Amino acid sequence: MRPDLEVVAGLIQPGSRVLDLGCGDGLLLATLSSRMGCSGTGIENDPSALVAAIRRGVSVMGLDIDVVGPAGLDEFDDASYDVVIVSQTLQATRNPARILDQVKRIAGRGVVSVPNFGLWKHRAALGLRGRMPVSSELPHPWFETPNIHLSTLADMEELIADRGLGVEQRILLDSSGRAAIGLRSRGPANLLASGAVYLVT
């Protein structure tokens, strides 16, 4: 499992009912089920990932989380899950603010992970070369990237607060996606962390 998903898994309570938005091949949900006795549902709209999740034995639905109405997240009742996971997905949605509102409505608790566009080497690519960054954290060229709302950690934390959610825990990530040790304060974190995982309530 990817290192950042291990960080996400570490924030989930045993036995939780989990809704995983953009679950990919379902590995995280399968791991949470086998390791921690969690139950849950994955949401994925990429056909090949959806098939991979089904083959893995994960309960998964083919929905577009950006759709407003019963074909999207309105399908789920209020407080129907204990936690909603939005791992490396929020920046690829058309309306991140609405997704956070749905996290609050569906569970009131979420684990959200995002890349940090404010990382020093991304700033350098723009400032020194005048080019959109391509790196291990943002591996796609600008014309192929699924990321349509790139943000810094400061931007992300402002959005979380704006949607009436609080950050209960923030784990900064290094370039490999592992928990970064030693990055604590807001300024250096926004410059030096490749991303972050937030436990929001």
Side-chain angles (χ1 to χ4, degrees), residues 35-56:
R35 277 191 204 167
M36 303 172 66
C38 294
S39 60
T41 307
I43 305 297
E44 182 56 60
N45 68 351
D46 176 78
S48 59
L50 188 67
V51 169
I54 290 168
R55 287 186 176 150
R56 198 179 291 280

Side-chain angles (χ1 to χ4, degrees), residues 69-144:
L73 294 179
D74 291 333
E75 168 94 8
F76 299 96
D77 292 334
D78 295 359
S80 53
Y81 287 83
D82 297 317
V83 63
V84 178
I85 296 173
V86 193
S87 178
Q88 300 294 326
T89 299
L90 195 65
Q91 74 279 358
T93 64
R94 289 191 296 274
N95 193 337
R98 184 177 184 278
I99 301 301
L100 289 178
D101 290 343
Q102 291 283 31
V103 168
K104 187 164 62 169
R105 181 186 68 79
I106 293 168
R109 188 175 187 84
V111 177
V112 179
S113 70
V114 291
N116 179 22
F117 192 69
L119 181 64
W120 69 270
K121 63 183 174 180
H122 300 157
R123 297 183 194 203
L126 280 171
L128 300 176
R129 297 188 310 132
R131 303 291 300 271
M132 292 300 289
V134 176
S135 66
S136 57
E137 300 85 13
L138 299 170
H140 306 284
W142 68 269
F143 54 89
E144 291 180 342

